[in-house]
Amino acid sequence: MLKGTYPLDRFQGLQTPFYYYDTALLQHTLDTIKEQIRNRPQWKVHYAVKANHNPVLLKQIAAAGMGADCVSGGEIRAALEAGFPPEGIVYAGVGKADWEINLGLDAGIGRFNVESSAELQVLAELAAQKGLVAPVSLRVNPDIGAHTLAGITTGLAENKFGIYHGMVEEVAREALSLPSIRFCGLHFHIGSQILEMPDFAALCNRINDLTDKLERHGIPVADVNVGGGLGIEYGHPNHLPMADFASYFGTYKRLLPGLRPVHFELGRSIVAPCGTLITRVLYVKEGLARRFAIVDAGMNDLIRPALYHAVHRIENISSHGPEMRYDVVGPCCESSDVFGKDVLLEECSRGDFIAIRSAGAYGESMASQYNCRPLAPAYFSE
Ligand code: LLP
């Protein structure tokens, strides 16, 4: 949202900090994705619930006809409550507990993305006990790096995720031999906040090599799930308010042609731009070498800058004063409770509203009550 378009009168009556979601931008994003894959009826996007499980947003995304990508029993419950059909739910995770597997089986979810042979055996046993056949994809560790933050790569051999690509054939044979398992395909994910399309192209090449090899060896791969990972422009939310879905889907259209269904698990690119963390300036403090804007949101509300050195654009949406440099810091008792250093902001005074932009993904969903701070509530543009 552009400065000047925030409903400051409405904000005046609200306790800060809070998340503010632009549901019109979310709808525009959902419509854009639909448009991009309109001519691929066998493609399906599953929203990655981990990015934001706010029920209002989940309902809006479910109503747009997307599936859900879940990584816990809690997320499966949240997705079902929001109206995602069970057959549109895919469930990944290296450490699925028995109760979570049972929940997925009872709900009739569309796919278990299995990450090890040990997990496959437990799933087979639990499904057999219920007289069910579990639909399974094997999560492949493709050993492909992505140009992104070190803390959020997932596709390297050294990461804990998936089955090393050289071992997948063996586990696929095991899956085919288990009567309570229906082997359907392969699942991949190389990381998050990826802006370079060649990274996704490398994944496509790996997928094509592996599916060709398995099929040559008599193992049918009915569909593939390419995971998520499309990044957004954190530095320019006003000029580039939406992820580059055309380039992203274009890469897959070019490199994964054919009739095999393709599943996507986008999280950040769907919800990050529509969310803003709104906080107030509590104090302005002059240090020896720095000027601090101390705000009432903390790392417990939005941990990305502290955890990954992630950069979010910060704006003073109340002030029209001259621009000055500030370290924007929160109240938590940690030196890492910093939202941005040397940030150029229009002159800050106590009570000014500060907008921390592009906070719709991995903001509210990663919030904690550290320092006994209450969870920030959410408000919506409509
Ligand atoms: N599929 C799988 C298997 C995943 O592990 C993830 C994200 C996604 C899909 C969705 O990826 P997305 O489209 O959102 O990039 N907390 C970090 C991001 C962690 C991502 C974890 N996995 C952050 O704040 O940047």
Side-chain angles (χ1 to χ4, degrees), residues 50-51 146-155 189-195 199-200 228-232 234 265 267-269 304 361-362:
K50 64 176 84 65
H147 298 86
T148 185
L149 305 168
I152 56 177
T153 66
T154 48
H189 176 74
I190 54 172
S192 198
Q193 183 51 19
I194 298 168
L195 291 167
D199 291 343
F200 296 116
L230 175 62
I232 62 144
Y234 279 98
E265 297 175 340
R268 182 190 318 269
S269 53
R304 302 192 68 256
Y362 307 109

Side-chain angles (χ1 to χ4, degrees), residues 81-140:
E81 274 163 27
F84 287 94
E87 61 276 13
I89 295 179
V90 298
Y91 175 27
V94 289
K96 301 179 184 77
D98 293 16
W99 74 266
E100 295 177 301
I101 294 175
N102 281 325
L103 177 72
L105 287 168
D106 292 339
I109 63 167
R111 197 64 57 88
F112 289 85
N113 290 322
V114 168
E115 307 223 9
S116 64
S117 160
E119 179 195 332
L120 183 66
Q121 292 296 340
V122 171
L123 174 59
E125 203 179 303
L126 294 174
Q129 278 169 18
K130 293 176 183 290
L132 295 172
V133 176
V136 162
S137 287
L138 295 180
R139 176 161 181 187
V140 181

Side-chain angles (χ1 to χ4, degrees), residues 285-298:
K285 175 159 92 172
E286 300 289 341
L288 180 61
R290 318 194 72 91
R291 183 182 301 115
F292 297 98
I294 302 167
V295 298
D296 60 8

